Amino acid sequence: MKGSLMSTSDSDEDAAASGTGLRPRLTVIGTGYLGATHAVCMAELGFEVLAVDVDHSKISRLSAGEIPFFEPDLADLLRANLATGRLRFTTSFEEIAEFGDVHFVCVGTPQRPDGYGADLSHLNAAIERLAPMLTRPCLVVGKSTVPAGTAAGIARALARLAPANHSAAATADAGADAETDADIVPDLAGVQLAWNPEFLREGFAVADTLHPDRLVFGVASPAAEGALRAAFAPVIAQGVPVIVTDYATAELVKTAANSFLATKISFINAMAEVCEAVDADVLTLAEALSHDVRIGGNFLRPGVGFGGGCLPKDIRAFQARADELGVGVALRFLREIDEINNRRRDRVVDLVSAALDGTLAHRRLLVLGAAFKPNSDDVRDSPALAVADLLARTGADVTVVDPVATPNARRALPGVTYSETVEDVAADADAVVLLTEWRQFAELDPARLGQLVRRKLVIDARHALDGDRWRQAGWVYLAPGRPTGVIPSPVPEQRPRFGLPAATGPDAAARDAEIEAPVGRRS
């Protein structure tokens, strides 16, 4: 007979007040960005959580209270929930199969190296490893971003591989705990599947998990829905909307959402290209559009384009899947969205080159930002790092500053110089190029910095700086899609002065706030 499968609050009254009741035991398969965040936050909501990964070093670090990536507030929650005993980590699939009532699969689905499609090898491996060990009724929940139709295939694999779905002995064994299981995974017959896509924004993942704007449940039975509702009871008790649908629609919700967000970003960046041609102001244009309730201001922020581990690979995988389904023409526009996004990187290089008389070789360029967005150390498909690479390829002497992403950036782009502070590397810079809108960059003192650099030239590719303030301090301020007027060619040199007191370094608290106009959530 199995051990107890239920976890309760300190009292029945507490459970009722919190909207949790009897709680299922949860497992998380995969402890990357999504999995580690989900495991920690579900423990914070009061569940017993056991997370598994095949990477022994990652499990060791997490068990010791160390998050292997940067995400505000997550490390504190990890240590707090380890201390309560609600959260544990393991490398044993046998242990999670024995422990869990609801298993969340959170493995990566990166872009395939040989094309645009999603690489599902990690997902398939996780299911093939877990399913043969599931000997009693439970719910497997996919959270990974996958092409439409993937969940149906996984459901068939679970039906084929899980002993609980075809073993009379396993059914009898599960019946021994029927009184316990009934309240936790109600009416589940064997092992069932649900799909519950994630909508996390890097830098805000804790809030997005604890207080999401919606929950999407892709299920094939009322029993699966009931089990998933039990796993999210504290969240649902907050009044969070729950959309219950089929597998394919749940899968499409995530890819469609990311495609729409990417389209909106590339649209305003396309408008920036037009604004540059007629010397118009894309920020004013975006503001005017945002007042139209049919359009809104979310994601109407021009800049150097989107990046990271989600939007770029997700829209490409969506195109690839549409082609496989014979409806590729419906998503043909996503190819242009991708092209517009990549063109913005070239445009920043063009701006820097034009301001320096068309010559970048041997110029000292100070690049602010390596992460694809603030409050993250993620450099996957980072526009900032891509631009730094393009600038370095012209022969420029590039130094990249980022408060947290420099270790990852060094591995991804080893051919440039790195620093975690601006003042240490600003001397003799011919141009400052802002590519990630960290708060500490927006709060730089242009007068102080102007006394260190060779030329007072700043290219604000993220529209994060106060252009008037920088111009008043004597800088030439340029930004994509903004009126330029007459650009001095070249920007006059000035004599650098040294021995100035350094400005205060990056404030750890400032890293927790993203410089972002009301443009909504970033994925």
Side-chain angles (χ1 to χ4, degrees):
M1 182 171 176
K2 304 280 191 287
S4 174
L5 298 175
M6 111 180 128
S7 170
T8 62
S9 304
D10 292 338
S11 70
D12 292 339
E13 290 182 2
D14 289 342
S18 65
T20 58
L22 297 176
R23 292 171 172 165
R25 286 179 168 177
L26 310 182
T27 77
V28 175
I29 295 92
T31 59
Y33 182 84
L34 169 60
T37 301
H38 191 66
V40 170
C41 289
M42 295 308 279
E44 177 67 14
L45 289 170
F47 292 95
E48 289 186 61
V49 181
L50 179 62
V52 67
D53 203 291
V54 296
D55 187 333
H56 288 249
S57 64
K58 187 183 296 184
I59 291 299
S60 296
R61 293 177 66 183
L62 288 165
S63 298
E66 181 184 349
I67 295 288
F69 52 84
F70 179 82
E71 179 63 34
D73 302 324
L74 191 60
D76 290 341
L77 290 183
L78 168 65
R79 289 187 285 269
N81 283 284
L82 286 172
T84 67
R86 286 194 300 267
L87 177 62
R88 295 184 296 117
F89 296 90
T90 183
T91 58
S92 170
F93 275 75
E94 292 85 353
E95 187 178 1
I96 66 165
E98 171 77 14
F99 176 87
D101 302 306
V102 178
H103 304 277
F104 288 96
V105 183
C106 301
V107 298
T109 53
Q111 184 174 326
R112 289 173 50 180
D114 60 348
Y116 273 8
D119 181 354
L120 302 180
S121 60
H122 300 298
L123 177 61
N124 292 332
I127 295 298
E128 291 169 4
R129 182 88 176 268
L130 175 67
M133 301 176 187
L134 301 177
T135 60
R136 60 182 174 82
C138 62
L139 184 69
V140 175
V141 184
K143 291 192 71 67
S144 305
T145 302
V146 296
T150 302
I154 291 176
R156 290 191 295 270
L158 289 172
R160 184 180 73 255
L161 297 174
N165 285 335
H166 51 75
S167 169
T171 302
D173 188 33
D177 283 321
E179 183 177 349
T180 297
D181 290 348
D183 292 325
I184 299 175
V185 284
D187 303 321
L188 278 178
V191 177
Q192 294 193 31
L193 178 72
W195 214 262
N196 168 231
E198 56 84 15
F199 303 99
L200 303 186
R201 301 166 297 160
E202 292 195 35
F204 300 90
V206 170
D208 289 345
T209 304
L210 297 177
H211 311 288
D213 52 19
R214 81 280 205 192
L215 291 169
V216 177
F217 293 170
V219 295
S221 73
E225 178 188 343
L228 201 48
R229 284 184 178 273
F232 281 101
V235 176
I236 295 172
Q238 302 169 23
V240 173
V242 179
I243 296 91
V244 181
T245 185
D246 54 82
Y247 293 152
T249 303
E251 292 165 325
L252 283 170
V253 168
K254 176 59 185 293
T255 52
N258 277 357
S259 296
F260 185 82
L261 298 178
T263 298
K264 207 166 183 183
I265 294 169
S266 282
F267 170 80
I268 199 62
N269 280 332
M271 293 301 100
E273 293 185 22
V274 177
C275 286
E276 290 164 3
V278 294
D279 212 30
D281 192 332
V282 70
L283 290 188
T284 304
L285 172 63
E287 180 185 6
L289 291 174
S290 72
H291 290 290
D292 188 324
V293 295
R294 299 167 299 174
I295 299 173
N298 292 346
F299 278 76
L300 277 185
R301 187 188 182 108
V304 72
F306 55 82
C310 290
L311 262 63
K313 65 100 174 173
D314 286 352
I315 66 170
R316 294 164 191 159
F318 202 10
Q319 295 170 56
R321 183 56 176 156
D323 288 339
E324 292 171 353
L325 295 171
V327 291
V329 64
L331 297 184
R332 190 176 295 166
F333 72 96
L334 288 179
R335 301 188 188 277
E336 182 61 27
I337 296 304
D338 206 6
E339 291 175 8
I340 292 170
N341 190 57
N342 289 327
R343 280 205 304 272
R344 299 314 295 164
R345 305 173 184 194
D346 294 326
R347 178 54 185 152
V348 174
V349 175
D350 291 342
L351 273 176
V352 180
S353 179
L356 293 174
D357 201 24
T359 303
L360 292 179
H362 309 300
R363 302 286 194 178
R364 284 183 54 84
L365 304 179
L366 180 59
V367 169
L368 304 184
F372 87 97
K373 64 178 292 185
N375 292 324
S376 173
D377 63 353
D378 192 347
V379 298
R380 292 174 296 175
D381 211 343
S382 167
L385 215 56
V387 171
D389 185 29
L390 290 171
L391 291 169
R393 290 172 184 271
T394 68
D397 181 3
V398 176
T399 298
V400 177
V401 179
D402 194 287
V404 301
T406 52
N408 289 340
R410 280 192 178 98
R411 288 189 290 270
L413 183 64
V416 301
T417 303
Y418 290 94
S419 175
E420 294 182 356
T421 59
V422 174
E423 292 80 6
D424 291 343
V425 291
D428 293 332
D430 291 299
V432 175
V433 187
L434 189 147
L435 297 172
T436 308
E437 61 274 38
W438 285 95
R439 179 176 292 275
Q440 44 267 62
F441 295 156
E443 294 177 346
L444 284 170
D445 183 346
R448 183 193 302 270
L449 187 60
Q451 294 175 318
L452 299 175
V453 299
R454 177 180 292 127
R455 291 177 174 83
K456 292 184 180 182
L457 168 65
V458 61
I459 290 84
D460 181 10
R462 289 293 190 180
H463 302 276
L465 304 177
D466 183 340
D468 291 338
R469 180 169 175 249
W470 284 72
R471 289 188 182 101
Q472 290 169 5
W475 288 73
V476 172
Y477 173 90
L478 302 175
R482 303 296 305 280
T484 59
V486 177
I487 304 175
S489 182
V491 177
E493 291 191 24
Q494 64 177 31
R495 182 186 302 275
R497 289 182 287 172
F498 305 99
L500 298 171
T504 303
D507 185 351
R511 298 177 185 174
D512 295 344
E514 182 174 5
I515 297 300
E516 183 175 291
V519 296
R521 296 187 164 194
R522 299 185 178 189
S523 193

